Amino acid sequence: MDALPDRERCEVADRAGPDGAESRELNGAKRQRVVWRNVILMGLLHTGALYSLLLIPKAHPFTWIWSYICFMITALGVTAGAHRLWSHRSYKAKLPLRIFLAAANSMAFQNDIFEWSRDHRAHHKYSETDADPHNAKRGFFFAHIGWLFVHKHKDVIEKGKRLDLSDLLSDPVVVFQRKHYKISVLVMCFLLPTLVPWYFWGESMWNSYFLASILRYTIALNITWLVNSAAHMYGNRPYNKNINPRENRFVTFGTIGEGFHNFHHTFPFDYAASEFGFRFNPTTCFIDLMCWLGLASNRKRATPEMIMARKLRTGDGST
Ligand code: ST9
Ligand code: ZN
Ligand code: ZN
């Protein structure tokens, strides 16, 4: 990470830096310094993903299927892992399941579980303020990807330090993944997706790298980011019309069940992240299957009474 020393960070909002990008007012907040390394890397990644589209017709059909399997593993590492298990503790998972979810999370390459969960807890607690890492009040682009292109607002770090993260630090799986994050990403996000098609059905490494790794990773990133951007701007608010997060069917479909965002911000402890259990919600089906196999337990749910009372009190009247 391209970290600034604390002293410099505090000053950054008040003066122009070497690249002269800050010191302009933006919705009452000072603009933050651009991290050009991230802009360039994300530019290259997205260019690579566009190029990958040209390779689809040339690849073996098994490579398409494998890329989709990698996408589903990636998605579960974020939804069932970093999100519903580690950020919200909405259910309990035994060691083998936690190991699988941590490996799947490294395939997602969205920062390690500790950092992802810390930022996500800040997002819920300080939603749509300067202490929210991807504050959607700063617009679609900032909430989607722009927040990764600038140094964090000082409130994110100051208020983030008040969060209780002791449960994350006491989970050896989280600590291990953080300690070995770079190598785990190399193996899970890049090597494994590339080598399987090459080894098992003779796909070229070029095709499998661009489809199962680059394209799959870029699509998964953008779908995840849509929860922060689109699902904070477009859709109904049946549970709480006083907050911005919304129910967005398009996002729900892509994120295997994470687009019921008005419900989720109203009842963040609910393991289904939705009023409707497993309807349009493969992540919930996966957690239920894990419970059935004895690998997970203690699923938390908002009761129908709580949901109805909340809808009547603060809902926008939609269903
Ligand atoms: C990515 C993450 O894409 C995506 C998250 C999306 C979340 C969506 C959630 C939606 C719900 C779930 C839906 C799932 C759907 C899934 C569907 C799947 C198909 N509190 O970070 P630094 C400290 S990542 C407390 O360097 P800068 C930090 O500890 C993409 N403290 O800040 C450190 O302290 P020390 C790939 C905090 O310099 C210091 O501050 N990754 C907090 O401002 C500096 O930290 C990338 O692109 C906090 N909240 O840099 C890399 N935050 O010095 C992106 C920080 O003591 N990251 N601290 O160690 C970066 O390059 C940088 O973090 C930065 C900010 C440039 C963004
Ligand atoms: Zn959440
Ligand atoms: Zn949100």
Side-chain angles (χ1 to χ4, degrees):
M1 294 295 139
D2 197 1
L4 278 176
D6 279 349
R7 181 180 44 77
E8 194 183 345
R9 178 184 305 286
C10 296
E11 290 167 7
V12 118
D14 302 315
R15 62 161 170 74
D19 48 11
E22 63 279 351
S23 257
R24 272 165 287 165
E25 290 284 337
L26 181 82
N27 298 334
K30 303 274 186 184
R31 194 171 275 181
Q32 290 145 269
R33 204 146 60 94
V34 175
V35 179
W36 288 106
R37 183 199 62 177
N38 289 2
V39 177
I40 292 165
L41 288 176
M42 281 297 172
L44 288 173
L45 181 72
H46 283 73
T47 309
L50 285 177
Y51 167 72
S52 310
L53 297 174
L54 302 174
L55 301 176
I56 294 176
K58 296 179 189 159
H60 194 290
F62 285 178
T63 309
W64 307 339
I65 296 168
W66 170 246
S67 302
Y68 183 68
I69 291 171
C70 288
F71 173 81
M72 290 304 285
I73 296 170
T74 299
L76 286 173
V78 178
T79 61
H83 192 220
R84 298 192 198 178
L85 176 65
W86 281 297
S87 296
H88 292 297
R89 297 283 171 199
S90 66
Y91 69 99
K92 285 192 176 147
K94 291 202 172 143
L95 185 63
L97 177 56
R98 297 210 310 282
I99 292 172
F100 166 76
L101 290 172
N105 185 268
S106 290
M107 189 178 265
F109 189 12
Q110 292 190 5
N111 298 331
D112 63 53
I113 295 163
F114 175 83
E115 187 171 340
W116 200 105
S117 304
R118 179 197 62 196
D119 282 356
H120 192 66
R121 287 181 189 182
H123 167 65
H124 274 268
K125 183 153 188 189
Y126 307 113
S127 205
E128 287 161 329
T129 69
D130 283 333
D132 175 350
H134 30 82
N135 175 10
K137 290 225 164 104
R138 293 179 64 177
F140 188 99
F141 183 79
F142 181 83
H144 193 77
I145 189 172
W147 65 286
L148 296 167
F149 291 169
V150 289
H151 286 288
K152 285 173 169 162
H153 194 286
K154 64 179 172 40
D155 287 5
V156 173
I157 294 164
E158 274 171 25
K159 294 196 177 163
K161 289 206 165 93
R162 297 179 202 163
L163 297 166
D164 181 6
L165 306 168
S166 53
D167 59 309
L168 297 170
L169 293 171
S170 63
D171 184 336
V173 176
V174 175
V175 174
F176 183 89
Q177 195 235 20
R178 184 162 166 81
K179 189 170 171 202
H180 302 287
Y181 190 58
K182 283 185 183 152
I183 185 80
S184 73
V185 165
L186 181 69
V187 172
M188 292 303 299
C189 185
F190 298 107
L191 289 181
L192 186 73
T194 305
L195 292 180
V196 166
W198 168 77
Y199 184 81
F200 286 101
W201 53 91
E203 181 62 273
S204 72
M205 282 215 202
W206 187 262
N207 282 357
S208 54
Y209 172 71
F210 275 102
L211 292 179
S213 199
I214 298 298
L215 184 60
R216 180 264 320 161
Y217 175 45
T218 312
I219 290 175
L221 276 181
N222 279 279
I223 286 176
T224 307
W225 296 337
L226 280 173
V227 180
N228 296 336
S229 53
H232 271 254
M233 289 175 191
Y234 312 114
N236 302 338
R237 289 180 282 188
Y239 309 98
N240 189 352
K241 60 176 187 261
N242 305 312
I243 58 175
N244 272 336
R246 292 152 201 258
E247 307 286 283
N248 184 308
R249 282 182 193 195
F250 174 73
V251 173
T252 296
F253 180 72
T255 58
I256 62 169
E258 297 279 17
F260 305 93
H261 213 48
N262 190 251
F263 179 91
H264 176 59
H265 272 261
T266 312
F267 303 105
F269 58 85
D270 188 297
Y271 91 99
S274 152
E275 177 181 356
F276 308 114
F278 55 76
R279 202 202 294 178
F280 306 122
N281 207 328
T283 302
T284 302
C285 294
F286 173 80
I287 298 169
D288 288 347
L289 176 67
M290 292 301 114
C291 284
W292 187 75
L293 292 172
L295 289 167
S297 60
N298 294 71
R299 286 161 292 182
K300 295 181 194 149
R301 274 307 252 147
T303 64
E305 295 73 29
M306 285 164 77
I307 295 170
M308 184 50 74
R310 190 67 201 234
K311 276 179 152 173
L312 290 172
R313 192 158 60 84
T314 56
D316 67 0
S318 65
T319 50

